[in-house]
Amino acid sequence: QVQLVESGGGLVQAGGSLRLSCAASGSMFIINDMGWYRQAPGKQRELVGSITSGGSTNYADPVKGRFTISRDNAKNTVYLQMNSLKPEDTAVYYCNARARRVGFIGVHDYWGQGTQVTVSS
């Protein structure tokens, strides 16, 4: 099975930056899309950004122009560079990977355990 481990979260002042990393590990799988989601207290989980295996990206409106998602396919790792952080960005950030098991049809979504990002005013 695919295991996802996030890192890079923490406490930062408004206007600061953080870089999140998510490394996927396992065997006999092919990862398609990868992405970042976040969930703030009292709110539902929302998409932050995603990236396809070919490098095409998609961002939620609140983070456009501030966040950048990228991936290193050789390392099965996805990154989220967060600049100009705002208190509204405070949330638990989750890594997602959509992968196909070699020798089987269909895809399955895998999730990391989440990493806390807190932005102070």
Side-chain angles (χ1 to χ4, degrees), residues 5-12 16-24 34-39 46 48-49 51 63 66-72 76-83 85 89-96 113-119:
V5 179
E6 302 106 329
S7 62
L11 174 65
V12 66
S17 299
L18 283 174
R19 183 176 176 84
L20 306 184
S21 299
C22 173
M34 299 187 76
W36 289 95
Y37 293 74
R38 67 186 183 186
Q39 187 166 21
E46 64 178 2
V48 176
I51 185 167
V63 308
R66 299 189 297 120
F67 291 9
T68 302
I69 191 169
S70 60
R71 68 189 290 172
D72 185 336
N76 281 330
T77 299
V78 63
Y79 306 93
L80 184 67
Q81 179 66 47
M82 304 185 293
N83 298 326
L85 282 162
D89 296 319
T90 295
V92 176
Y93 284 70
Y94 297 92
C95 177
N96 167 264
Q113 79 286 350
T115 184
Q116 177 70 48
V117 172
T118 302
V119 184

Side-chain angles (χ1 to χ4, degrees), residues 24-115:
S25 62
S27 62
M28 304 298 286
F29 66 90
I30 300 173
I31 295 178
N32 298 123
D33 294 357
M34 299 187 76
W36 289 95
Y37 293 74
R38 67 186 183 186
Q39 187 166 21
K43 308 185 80 173
Q44 67 182 88
R45 186 176 298 186
E46 64 178 2
L47 172 70
V48 176
S50 63
I51 185 167
T52 68
S53 59
S56 297
T57 57
N58 178 61
Y59 299 96
D61 286 340
V63 308
K64 286 181 179 177
R66 299 189 297 120
F67 291 9
T68 302
I69 191 169
S70 60
R71 68 189 290 172
D72 185 336
N73 289 333
K75 298 180 179 179
N76 281 330
T77 299
V78 63
Y79 306 93
L80 184 67
Q81 179 66 47
M82 304 185 293
N83 298 326
S84 301
L85 282 162
K86 305 174 180 179
E88 307 93 271
D89 296 319
T90 295
V92 176
Y93 284 70
Y94 297 92
C95 177
N96 167 264
R98 180 160 290 181
R100 181 179 70 83
R101 295 170 61 191
V102 175
F104 296 84
I105 61 173
V107 296
H108 190 278
D109 282 316
Y110 297 88
W111 295 90
Q113 79 286 350
T115 184

